[in-house]
Amino acid sequence: MAGEPGFPVPGSPELSELSGLSRQERLDYLRRRMAAVPARGESVASRAPVESAFPTTGTSAAPDSHAAGVLPVPAALAELLPRGGLVRGSVVSVSGATSLLLGLVASVTAGGGHVAVIGHPRLGVLAAVEMGAQLERLALIPDPGADPVEIAAVLLDGMDLVVLGLGGASVAPSRARAVVARARSKGSTLVVTDGHWDGAEMRLEARVHGYAGLGNGSQDRGCGRLRSLSLAVCARGRSFQPRTTRLDVRSAQGRVEWVSTPEPVASLEAAPFPEPVEVVGL
């Protein structure tokens, strides 16, 4: 993983060499590196309580989330989800504002889990750290090659959360079912973005609802320092009715916190999901 001996980090010569390998060579490489990742049982045993990783106003779910088979999410978001987090062995589709994805990565790594992010070369790692992400538990694979789904399937063996950027592609239903079965058998959670995945158990969509700091109290609109971002987040799932809430992502004492707000927002529940795109390379 990033920052650990033997695992490439973004910008390292080893990662540059990996980009020139064939598909089978990449898979063999990842399998060797997976052998160096602590077993999931060892990871759980060494985890600090989730609440200790975040301020009480901030970002974690219940401290027993891992034991309950649920990965932690920002506390303000947990109130929106039926089980208060991301269910292990499930597939979740995430779209919209990137802050939502960063919050998920930060919460899982801060809670002691291991996360792999595939196909997101512009991921805001600094923003994730400010939300509480632990880089020693984060593996970044910005350029997975022609078959990112296969890379994700391999990483489900040892990661608690795998984030897969599809780059606008749609995964064939038969292949999606095979990967879902693998996630369930391994107890890992798969988050898919930037594409269409048939049969996701839950879909999360975040839209920017407003912001504070830029131009406030000044005649020069657009000037100033961004202090907070307001998101309207909608959750849809097979087993529950759509739910919408508003969350504020705020900078406080050198870190970024998630805070729920009672202010109502325009409903996202009726908004359609993007139409599936053409299946490519699958």
Side-chain angles (χ1 to χ4, degrees), residues 170-180 196-199 279 282:
S170 178
V171 179
S174 58
R175 194 172 192 197
R177 287 192 294 269
V179 178
V180 169
H196 178 75
W197 185 283
D198 185 67
V279 177
L282 300 173

Side-chain angles (χ1 to χ4, degrees), residues 96 130 220 262:
E130 291 175 339
D220 298 324

